[in-house]
Amino acid sequence: MLRRPERRSATPAWTVDAVGFWCVLGYAALALLARQPGEPALPAFFLLVAWTGLPVFGLFLYFRRREEPFPLGRLFFWAIAFRICGLAGGPFYEDDFYRYLWDGYRFATAGSPYGPAPEMFFLDPSVPPAMQSVLSGINYPELPTIYAPVTQVIFLLGYWVNPGSVSVLQAILILLDLALVVLLLRLAPARNVLLYAWCPLVVKEIAFTAHPDGAGACLLLAAVVLSRDRRWQVAAITLGLAAGAKAFGLLLAPLLLAGARLRHWLLFGATVAAVYAPFTLRGGSELTSLQVFAREWEFNAWLFGLLKTALPPIEARLALGLAFAAFWGWYHLKCFRSPARAIPRGDWIFGGLLAVSPVINPWYLLWLLPFAAVYPTIWAWTASLAVLLSYVTGLNLQDYAMQPFGQPLWARGLEFGLILCGLGCDLVRRRWTGRDTQAGAKG
């Protein structure tokens, strides 16, 4: 007589709640540190990153091994609780939010955030006192804004709700981030989405620090979902808005619109043009500062940091740019030849871009991590924690012998060493199992 295979009992709800409560304690502690004068001590910050990050990886592995569905209610409940802690804590290790608030003010009062650099207003008596305090906190005030039009609309909305309030921007971006989580559930099982929804980097960079890259990533993921449903018209518009939030959104456009008709491609181009037209006709955009950024800035670079020891910076930028273009072309050609319409490997594309980039800020990974939830890899989720080592700078170390944004060699070596170890583990696992990580993706 055949016996039915034993069925594993469902995981008790208190197991998930225990991990969620453990993490919320960590985020609450981080919020308290963020509210104190000065910046949180780096050892305390990294202790809390490990406190809130490592248990999530363990919970993901537990549910994947048991092949159980993750409870959606608890996924959202704790994700919201973590982000409320960030909203209560506010920004730390960053002052970019001053620029967001100033851009919102200029957009509302002048009709455009582009044009004169903030330093032109230092002695302007027409600037309200609240905005004068914002103005005094802007970094690189000699440069016009570097943020694209769609993100500027978010800054404008924040100004309309409450001028000079970073909390309003945090709340708007938190809502968009939660919308991204909902979209991600269309593409991956809940246990995979857990990695993104409970990720310390996501909570820190969006809920605490109000970086707007999450808004662009949300629009890009919406375009992914819409293109898979063959809703080409809305997908083209959404993809155009993602490109209007940051140029990163352009990188996946050929893949997402591969099955669309010419009119949808034209609609995509028209959306990008419509986003920029009101500002370019007035003689301004973010391109002026982007050129300075691309030509001169370097921070937390990996391959560029290595290559510039052998080549002049301009030649190193050119060589790595060509290498990424070749990789981008190879991947697109590979996808076009494949009969299957898989979800694009945005983790590969954005990961490759960051690998060659002269600047790797932690919030850039907000474009990569949603795709790393669809295709979970060790290297990507190791990077989500390791890249936070970029906050080990002369400014945060209070080491006045270093440049403010200079990094100790050990910090950068540890950061990229951990990521390479994760990549090595992925290669070994793939060799042993003989398959890629696409099993986690839906459809």
Side-chain angles (χ1 to χ4, degrees), residues 254-255 258 329-342:
L255 293 177
W330 165 82
Y331 177 71
H332 280 64
L333 185 61
K334 175 178 178 290
C335 291
F336 291 149
R337 288 178 174 175
S338 173
R341 292 184 63 254

Side-chain angles (χ1 to χ4, degrees), residues 195-212:
L195 291 170
Y196 178 89
W198 292 19
C199 176
L201 182 145
V202 174
V203 176
K204 191 274 176 190
E205 301 302 341
I206 295 178
F208 278 89
T209 316
H211 277 293

Side-chain angles (χ1 to χ4, degrees), residues 51 60-61 63 78 100 149 233 333 338 344 352 429:
W51 179 292
F60 163 74
L61 292 173
F63 271 85
W78 291 111
Y100 311 156
Q233 184 169 330
L333 185 61
S338 173
R429 183 180 63 169

Side-chain angles (χ1 to χ4, degrees), residues 125-377:
S126 67
V127 177
M131 286 298 117
Q132 285 285 2
S133 62
V134 167
L135 184 59
S136 64
I138 296 175
N139 58 22
Y140 302 104
E142 71 278 7
L143 293 175
T145 185
I146 200 171
Y147 297 100
V150 171
T151 55
Q152 295 291 352
V153 173
I154 295 173
F155 304 156
L156 175 63
L157 179 60
Y159 180 86
W160 282 342
V161 174
N162 190 4
S165 171
V166 68
S167 297
V168 171
L169 287 180
Q170 288 173 269
I172 294 171
L173 292 168
I174 285 170
L175 291 175
L176 289 171
D177 186 42
L178 293 173
L180 188 153
V181 174
V182 173
L183 291 167
L184 201 50
L185 288 167
R186 295 280 304 276
L187 304 174
R191 64 173 178 268
N192 288 21
V193 178
L194 167 75
L195 291 170
Y196 178 89
W198 292 19
C199 176
L201 182 145
V202 174
V203 176
K204 191 274 176 190
E205 301 302 341
I206 295 178
F208 278 89
T209 316
H211 277 293
D213 285 65
C218 178
L219 289 166
L220 181 61
L221 207 67
V224 172
V225 172
L226 291 165
S227 66
R228 284 176 63 79
D229 293 342
R230 297 188 175 274
R231 299 172 62 185
W232 295 117
Q233 184 169 330
V234 188
I237 294 172
T238 308
L239 187 58
L241 293 175
K246 197 166 192 170
F248 282 22
L250 293 170
L251 294 178
L252 298 184
L255 293 177
L256 297 182
L257 296 180
R261 297 183 179 180
L262 176 61
R263 68 172 183 269
H264 301 121
W265 280 91
L266 294 175
L267 181 59
F268 164 69
T271 301
V272 176
V275 165
Y276 276 93
F279 305 106
T280 54
L281 292 176
R282 296 170 63 100
S285 73
E286 81 277 18
L287 297 181
T288 301
S289 293
L290 274 179
Q291 291 174 1
V292 177
F293 178 88
R295 185 175 62 248
E296 300 179 6
W297 290 7
E298 179 194 350
F299 176 72
N300 194 40
W302 177 34
L303 294 179
F304 176 79
L306 294 174
L307 193 58
K308 76 167 190 174
T309 62
L311 294 176
I314 293 179
E315 294 180 12
R317 281 178 164 85
L318 179 60
L320 291 173
L322 291 174
F324 174 73
F327 167 72
W328 184 88
W330 165 82
Y331 177 71
H332 280 64
L333 185 61
K334 175 178 178 290
C335 291
F336 291 149
R337 288 178 174 175
S338 173
R341 292 184 63 254
I343 299 167
R345 292 302 300 256
D347 53 336
W348 289 4
I349 296 295
F350 294 121
L353 177 65
L354 295 180
V356 303
S357 176
V359 177
I360 306 177
N361 287 312
W363 53 91
Y364 292 177
L365 270 74
L366 295 173
W367 292 85
L368 181 156
L369 293 179
F371 296 94
V374 177
Y375 302 103
T377 52

Side-chain angles (χ1 to χ4, degrees), residues 21-38:
F21 183 70
W22 175 272
C23 292
V24 88
L25 289 177
Y27 288 120
L30 192 57
L32 288 174
L33 290 176
R35 301 290 294 184
Q36 303 303 311

